[in-house]
Amino acid sequence: MKKLEPPKAFNRRAFLETAGYGAATLMLWPFISSCDGQSSKAASPVMDPDFIPDIDLELSAVERDIPILSGPKTKVWVFEGDLITGDKEALQASKGSYLGPTIKVRKGQKIRIRFQNNIPEETIVHWHGMHVPAEDDGHPQDVIHSGETYIYEYEVMNRAGTYWYHPHPHGRTGPQVYNGLAGLLLVTDEEEQQLNLPKGEFDRPVVIQDRSFDEDNQLVYIQSRMDSMRGFLGDKILINGNAEKVLNLKSGCAYRLRLLNGSNSRIYKLAWEDGSPITVIGIDGSLLSAPKELPYLMLGPAKRADVWLDLSDKPEGIRLTMKNESFPLEVMSGGMMMEGGETSLPQGSEYEVFTVKTTSSGSNEYSLPQQLVKSNYIDPSTAENLNNPRQFSFAMDHMDWTINGRTWQTTGVVDEETVKLGSTEVWELINSSAMMGNDSGGGMMGDGGMMGGDEGMMSGGDMMGNMMQMPHPVHIHQVQFNILERDVSDVDSQLWEAVKEGFINDGWQDTVLLLPGMKARVIMEFKDFKGLFVYHCHNLEHEDMGMMRNFKIT
Ligand code: C2O
Ligand code: CU
Ligand code: CU
């Protein structure tokens, strides 16, 4: 059963439109709930009596003090969950960690989530990668006050894959995720079940994040404007919220490791220290059609990769480290130029990410299937604009992070961001930054005049040149897309040489890491739900500074 645009959401928007608020006013409009008690879920958490959930749960965002490092506890914000109805498996607490509970659902199930905001600022939860109605997507306009509840009710329509959830208020997503608000949402389906992939203790989350702590073990966020322009980089890697970064596994067994880069802006080039390849079986919103062996894996912010780890020939008592290999990005993205922006763990340097320890042994029940799922990719010839894709250019414009020259407006959306329900489209996502890098004198950008020649700004010379050279992990809500191609002709060749074997274009994805100068063509279908959704850079600091826009499905 498909829910088409529910009347509630429609009414809410209709109310705002007829009330005659322009986009500028809406940006200042603090809470939808305060003006529209009848139709807003925020003001009156009304459940749909016709919606019979298979899984019904309560999720709250709360402040807690938890031990992360030895010594004083750390103040964090966490998601905590409580199952009201449904299989016990559906909600698994992340014990001893600030990470939210892992939510496990099956395609076709109906889930209700009663989200309660108990942190001292407004927020809303977004289900990253999920195909849900607009009012269930966690749009920034749906933020609720501290003390309020938001009811999500939707059917799981996604393929089996590794999804996640996190806050999505405009301007505060970075700090809220940083403070701890994030969790995994795992979807399974029949096709996956038939593959007999590792389950239970053999299906392990590996959430990779970076954090910085002060002397009292408290989290330290952005320290300077330059920090926020570049995006937050911490000096410590945490795995599943733990500073120890050790996975205790059984020798003799095979594992499915669900990697999520939950960092605000850090990019990883992951490689096993012993030189064995990384076997990837899934990415973002799907399994791959067949396992893929890579010498190393590039994992940008918000990206997930499911990795097969076979310990069947490993004895008890060994350590196997996943490290970050070096790549020449920090130099280009500003490590040199920013005072106060340095970190002891620069982007693209070499460091340990996590270590697998075989602390006991078991017998293996799982073997790696040579074929995984039918990919059923979108036939490019069905796109209405295959040879004339919509172009979205991610760039800095006068110290603002922009998309096609525009920054965030709460409900603002323009024609080139409006698509038709039922259509299949190709979008070309462009990281324009490399084009500016080498040309510190000039006005910029042939068409569109996105970067008006502002001499004053560019005469910052190398500094601005470097600043422009930023990667942008671009994410589109509501859809899973196929990547048709990456054009790297404008990517620095030294950088590209160092990372080119770590990208995956297969599978169904929702986020694509655009290196400086990279262009990616992605194809997607807009189906089932009308409404306003967002697309944005998933460098959370860029997103918070406005590198986010709406698109509208009509
Ligand atoms: Cu992971 Cu718009 O979000
Ligand atoms: Cu998302
Ligand atoms: Cu960005």
Side-chain angles (χ1 to χ4, degrees):
M1 266 214 341
K2 288 168 183 178
K3 285 200 296 175
L4 291 174
E5 170 113 355
K8 276 185 217 161
F10 184 77
N11 289 343
R12 181 173 59 202
R13 255 185 301 282
F15 172 85
L16 289 173
E17 275 158 22
T18 51
Y21 294 104
T25 319
L26 280 171
M27 279 184 71
L28 302 171
W29 194 259
F31 304 104
I32 301 298
S33 57
S34 54
C35 74
D36 186 18
Q38 280 224 310
S39 59
S40 165
K41 289 183 168 191
S44 55
V46 180
M47 288 172 238
D48 176 354
D50 298 331
F51 185 88
I52 313 293
D54 300 292
I55 296 170
D56 190 346
L57 55 91
E58 214 162 67
L59 190 72
S60 55
V62 294
E63 192 166 281
R64 292 274 181 255
D65 288 304
I66 65 161
I68 298 178
L69 306 175
S70 64
K73 291 182 175 174
T74 304
K75 188 176 294 305
V76 290
W77 289 349
V78 297
F79 285 120
E80 290 179 349
D82 244 319
L83 194 62
I84 298 165
T85 355
D87 191 349
K88 266 194 245 113
E89 293 276 283
L91 193 68
Q92 290 179 348
S94 305
K95 283 194 210 94
S97 162
Y98 58 75
L99 285 183
T102 296
I103 301 172
K104 290 186 165 184
V105 298
R106 207 164 359 94
K107 185 175 179 176
Q109 278 182 326
K110 289 189 172 158
I111 63 176
R112 174 186 291 143
I113 295 149
R114 311 160 185 225
F115 170 61
Q116 210 181 341
N117 176 9
N118 291 327
I119 57 168
E121 61 184 55
E122 72 233 39
T123 190
I124 191 72
V125 182
H126 165 60
W127 318 96
H128 182 120
M130 297 295 284
H131 177 64
V132 297
E135 64 167 4
D136 293 302
D137 193 51
H139 190 282
Q141 71 175 325
D142 292 331
V143 289
I144 55 170
H145 287 286
S146 186
E148 288 184 328
T149 299
Y150 197 98
I151 307 289
Y152 298 87
E153 291 170 329
Y154 59 85
E155 181 182 329
V156 177
M157 297 169 74
N158 285 66
R159 291 174 194 77
T162 302
Y163 304 84
W164 64 302
Y165 60 96
H166 60 76
H168 221 294
H170 175 58
R172 295 288 297 166
T173 296
Q176 290 190 7
V177 172
Y178 185 72
N179 281 350
L181 294 172
L184 284 172
L185 173 62
L186 307 182
V187 177
T188 189
D189 60 13
E190 219 146 278
E191 199 179 11
E192 181 186 66
Q193 293 293 321
Q194 280 168 12
L195 291 169
N196 191 32
L197 296 173
K199 285 179 195 54
E201 63 167 307
F202 302 105
D203 179 356
R204 289 289 186 106
V206 183
V207 179
I208 309 170
Q209 295 174 309
D210 56 343
R211 296 289 184 267
S212 293
F213 296 85
D214 67 14
E215 287 157 7
D216 300 318
N217 288 353
Q218 299 310 305
L219 290 167
V220 178
Y221 188 51
I222 294 293
Q223 292 301 287
S224 65
R225 168 119 179 117
M226 282 307 179
D227 265 0
S228 70
M229 294 307 285
R230 179 193 56 193
F232 174 85
L233 291 176
D235 52 22
K236 243 191 186 52
I237 303 295
L238 303 188
I239 296 296
N240 299 329
N242 295 309
E244 272 180 24
K245 311 188 297 178
V246 172
L247 301 180
N248 292 314
L249 305 182
K250 288 179 175 164
S251 73
C253 297
Y255 287 85
R256 175 182 192 172
L257 302 182
R258 310 246 194 181
L259 271 45
L260 159 65
N261 180 353
S263 311
N264 284 31
S265 83
R266 185 176 290 272
I267 295 164
Y268 299 91
K269 178 184 176 184
L270 300 171
W272 292 115
E273 198 175 39
D274 68 357
S276 48
I278 296 189
T279 304
V280 180
I281 61 169
I283 185 139
D284 292 1
S286 73
L287 290 162
L288 300 178
S289 51
K292 208 177 180 92
E293 292 201 339
L294 302 176
Y296 55 83
L297 171 68
M298 295 303 298
L299 206 62
K303 293 292 297 178
R304 291 85 70 205
D306 286 14
V307 165
W308 185 270
L309 174 61
D310 187 353
L311 298 174
S312 58
D313 59 354
K314 299 276 193 284
E316 223 177 290
I318 61 123
R319 298 169 63 95
L320 181 60
T321 294
M322 182 72 92
K323 63 175 178 175
N324 191 73
E325 284 191 343
S326 65
F327 54 96
L329 188 62
E330 173 70 358
V331 178
M332 306 200 324
S333 60
M336 289 165 47
M337 73 191 183
M338 298 176 182
E339 246 183 276
E342 283 102 45
T343 157
S344 58
L345 202 65
Q347 178 96 282
S349 59
E350 199 165 315
Y351 50 87
E352 282 187 10
V353 180
F354 63 90
T355 297
V356 168
K357 270 204 230 171
T358 53
T359 44
S360 61
S361 56
S363 60
N364 195 12
E365 297 167 46
Y366 303 105
S367 59
L368 177 61
Q370 285 319 296
Q371 296 300 318
L372 293 162
V373 295
K374 285 191 227 78
S375 32
N376 297 324
Y377 292 147
I378 301 170
D379 174 359
S381 72
T382 62
E384 349 221 299
N385 61 347
L386 182 60
N387 299 314
N388 181 30
R390 284 178 205 255
Q391 293 180 311
F392 294 102
S393 183
F394 292 71
M396 177 186 279
D397 186 351
H398 298 86
M399 298 304 274
D400 278 329
W401 293 113
T402 61
I403 306 172
N404 282 358
R406 302 181 185 92
T407 64
W408 174 246
Q409 295 169 289
T410 307
T411 56
V413 65
V414 297
D415 275 355
E416 66 186 25
E417 297 169 317
T418 305
V419 300
K420 271 205 235 69
L421 185 69
S423 64
T424 298
E425 290 208 6
V426 178
W427 287 12
E428 185 172 46
L429 307 169
I430 303 165
N431 182 337
S432 321
S433 61
M435 298 155 69
M436 316 183 181
N438 305 323
D439 177 21
S440 55
M444 258 309 303
M445 301 237 144
D447 31 83
M450 286 168 12
M451 184 59 94
D454 182 330
E455 296 296 339
M457 179 182 146
M458 297 307 282
S459 64
D462 288 347
M463 183 189 111
M464 289 315 301
N466 280 334
M467 190 49 151
M468 302 302 181
Q469 303 264 354
M470 290 289 302
H472 299 298
V474 173
H475 169 48
I476 306 173
H477 281 215
Q478 165 69 357
V479 297
Q480 291 285 328
F481 50 69
N482 301 141
I483 298 178
L484 296 177
E485 74 167 303
R486 288 176 208 256
D487 178 344
V488 298
S489 50
D490 290 330
V491 178
D492 177 81
S493 57
Q494 210 192 332
L495 172 60
W496 184 239
E497 278 307 308
V499 299
K500 65 180 181 190
E501 289 174 85
F503 289 97
I504 292 177
N505 285 357
D506 309 336
W508 293 82
Q509 308 195 26
D510 52 54
T511 309
V512 56
L513 174 61
L514 298 181
L515 296 171
M518 190 187 275
K519 303 184 188 100
R521 287 191 177 209
V522 302
I523 187 168
M524 63 215 137
E525 291 170 336
F526 300 101
K527 53 185 186 187
D528 305 316
F529 309 116
K530 291 183 184 175
L532 211 55
F533 299 91
V534 303
Y535 65 109
H536 58 90
C537 178
H538 219 291
N539 175 320
L540 296 183
E541 286 69 42
H542 292 183
E543 174 185 340
D544 280 345
M545 284 186 287
M547 200 177 234
M548 172 161 71
R549 291 285 305 170
N550 287 300
F551 72 97
K552 190 175 190 173
I553 305 177
T554 58

